[in-house]
Amino acid sequence: MATPAEINLDSKELQKRVERFQSVRDDILTQVREVIVGQDEVLDQILIGLFVGGHCLITGLPGTAKTLMVRTISQSLGLIFRRIQFTPDLMPSDITGTDIIEEDPTTGHRRWTFVPGPIFGNILLADEINRTPPKTQSALLEAMQEHSCTVRGNHYDLPRPFFVLATQNPIELEGTYPLPEAQLDRFLFNTVLDYLSAADELKVVDLTTTIRSPEVRAVTNAEEILEFQRLVRMVPIAETLARYVVDFVRATRPKSDSAPDFIKKYVNYGASVRAAQFIVLAAKARALSRRRYHVAYEDIAALAVPVLRHRILLNFHAESDRIDSDEILRRLLQHMPPPAKA
């Protein structure tokens, strides 16, 4: 938690940084709105992930503009964009890069030369990430956690910021491989992209069936985004709210004394402490984007489900009763009222 010395809001310099953060966020949304219709909650979560320095898993049906959304956001940020189309025959070296043998034409000497893969960018779109085997999926683990990769024993740092946006289709099971729990835990959010309303679908048809070709301009850069990530971490959170987050995450574990009966009945494994860290960080970014200088309970309640839905493993009782993780988490929010001074 930030100390008063770290978050002195009387500082004019800090005030300028906060205003710049809010201005850039508004400009990003303006640019993205030139192309993307609706999906306000999804866009909000992606931008929170960016400003926190986390990664997002986007789960959506075909034709819901997952890829277009990611590409448009990257254009508005002025960052290096890379895309990997995940397929069953994709190899780890296709992601990280590989060493090749090059021969010097003048001396004839041969040497190893590293050829960077598409992972060496700022925004990486891992399209249909569940279409490739776990061995290849695991090539992203080190990059997502350490912002680096290791090839043939050599360590390479990735550009900063490094932001993975992975997409997956929830209804296609043929030829797909579920993401390992260790990799799922690296994602800040599991963001669900649903169908648009009828009015928004009409807007999409109007936008995409004419000769109009909107241009998206960059409104920020890598250095400024890194500064925003530091700024977010300076937002204070009350000890009562931080304790509530820890208690909430601990209550998702069926073996915990604080777990309610429905958790013990339906959940096999709960969330780790990383979930509590992500909830607090995401709540800080959401508070700042709402022009507040402290975390409120509403920030935690709004983000608990997308942070936790991919972190709790349900058992056969939940499947039999047709209860999903979202329903479990909503019940838990109702079961645990906000702190008295929140």
Side-chain angles (χ1 to χ4, degrees), residues 270-291:
S272 69
V273 68
R274 183 182 280 138
Q277 294 172 312
F278 279 160
I279 291 175
V280 170
L281 280 172
K284 289 184 175 188
R286 187 180 188 275
L288 204 59
S289 68
R290 264 64 175 179
R291 291 171 165 75

Side-chain angles (χ1 to χ4, degrees), residues 8-68:
N8 179 12
L9 291 179
D10 294 331
S11 166
K12 292 183 179 180
E13 179 62 29
L14 183 56
Q15 189 70 30
K16 288 181 181 178
R17 288 159 62 189
V18 171
E19 291 173 356
R20 176 60 181 166
F21 171 89
Q22 294 162 349
S23 173
V24 167
R25 182 183 180 278
D26 291 342
D27 289 344
I28 292 172
L29 288 175
T30 299
Q31 293 300 311
V32 173
R33 287 283 171 232
E34 292 292 317
V35 178
I36 301 297
V37 176
Q39 307 294 4
D40 295 336
E41 186 176 354
V42 175
L43 287 173
D44 186 40
Q45 291 174 14
I46 291 176
L47 290 183
I48 287 173
L50 173 72
F51 294 135
V52 164
H55 310 286
C56 292
L57 176 64
I58 305 174
T59 303
L61 298 166
T64 49
K66 299 185 294 294
T67 304
L68 178 62

Side-chain angles (χ1 to χ4, degrees), residues 45 51 71 74 85 87 93 97 103 121 123 130 147 154 165 178 187 189 215 264 279 302:
Q45 291 174 14
F51 294 135
R71 186 182 295 276
S74 69
Q85 183 66 50
T87 56
S93 59
E103 182 176 314
I123 294 185
N130 57 336
H147 292 177
N154 297 314
L165 286 161
F187 287 101
F189 289 129
E215 293 186 5
K264 295 177 180 179
I279 291 175

Side-chain angles (χ1 to χ4, degrees), residues 250 253-260 264:
R250 290 179 66 85
R253 304 166 190 169
K255 294 183 180 180
S256 172
D257 294 337
S258 60
K264 295 177 180 179

Side-chain angles (χ1 to χ4, degrees), residues 31-207:
Q31 293 300 311
V32 173
R33 287 283 171 232
E34 292 292 317
V35 178
I36 301 297
V37 176
Q39 307 294 4
D40 295 336
E41 186 176 354
V42 175
L43 287 173
D44 186 40
Q45 291 174 14
I46 291 176
L47 290 183
I48 287 173
L50 173 72
F51 294 135
V52 164
H55 310 286
C56 292
L57 176 64
I58 305 174
T59 303
L61 298 166
T64 49
K66 299 185 294 294
T67 304
L68 178 62
M69 181 181 294
V70 174
R71 186 182 295 276
T72 305
I73 290 173
S74 69
Q75 291 173 345
S76 70
L77 296 173
L79 300 178
I80 301 173
F81 174 74
R82 297 286 186 264
R83 177 187 177 186
I84 304 174
Q85 183 66 50
F86 280 71
T87 56
D89 60 347
L90 195 72
M91 299 295 292
S93 59
D94 295 328
I95 298 174
T96 61
T98 188
D99 285 317
I100 62 172
I101 298 177
E102 283 190 333
E103 182 176 314
D104 189 325
T106 57
T107 64
H109 291 161
R110 296 180 179 181
R111 62 178 182 178
W112 288 101
T113 301
F114 178 65
V115 179
I119 202 173
F120 286 85
N122 296 122
I123 294 185
L124 176 67
L125 171 58
D127 216 358
E128 296 185 291
I129 190 172
N130 57 336
R131 285 196 169 277
T132 198
K135 178 181 178 180
T136 304
Q137 292 175 7
S138 66
L140 283 176
L141 282 176
E142 180 185 358
M144 293 173 69
Q145 184 64 28
E146 308 295 338
H147 292 177
S148 63
C149 71
T150 303
V151 179
R152 290 186 65 252
N154 297 314
H155 186 83
Y156 301 96
D157 290 327
L158 299 177
R160 297 291 186 100
F162 179 68
F163 187 36
V164 175
L165 286 161
T167 69
Q168 66 176 3
N169 184 341
I171 62 173
E172 283 192 66
L173 298 178
E174 188 71 26
T176 61
Y177 304 83
L179 270 66
E181 283 70 23
Q183 183 166 355
L184 281 173
D185 201 42
R186 285 344 190 249
F187 287 101
L188 169 64
F189 289 129
N190 180 2
T191 301
V192 176
L193 209 63
D194 208 348
Y195 288 123
L196 296 171
S197 65
D200 283 342
E201 287 192 3
L202 182 59
K203 290 180 184 177
V204 170
V205 172
D206 289 340
L207 284 173

Side-chain angles (χ1 to χ4, degrees), residues 203-217:
K203 290 180 184 177
V204 170
V205 172
D206 289 340
L207 284 173
T208 57
T209 57
T210 65
I211 60 172
R212 177 178 177 272
S213 180
E215 293 186 5
V216 178
R217 62 179 179 85

Side-chain angles (χ1 to χ4, degrees), residues 316-341:
F316 70 93
H317 292 296
E319 185 176 354
S320 175
D321 292 348
R322 297 187 178 182
I323 294 178
D324 60 12
S325 57
D326 285 28
E327 175 63 24
I328 293 290
L329 293 169
R330 284 192 289 266
R331 287 191 191 182
L332 190 56
L333 282 170
Q334 294 172 357
H335 176 79
M336 297 180 61
K341 297 183 180 180

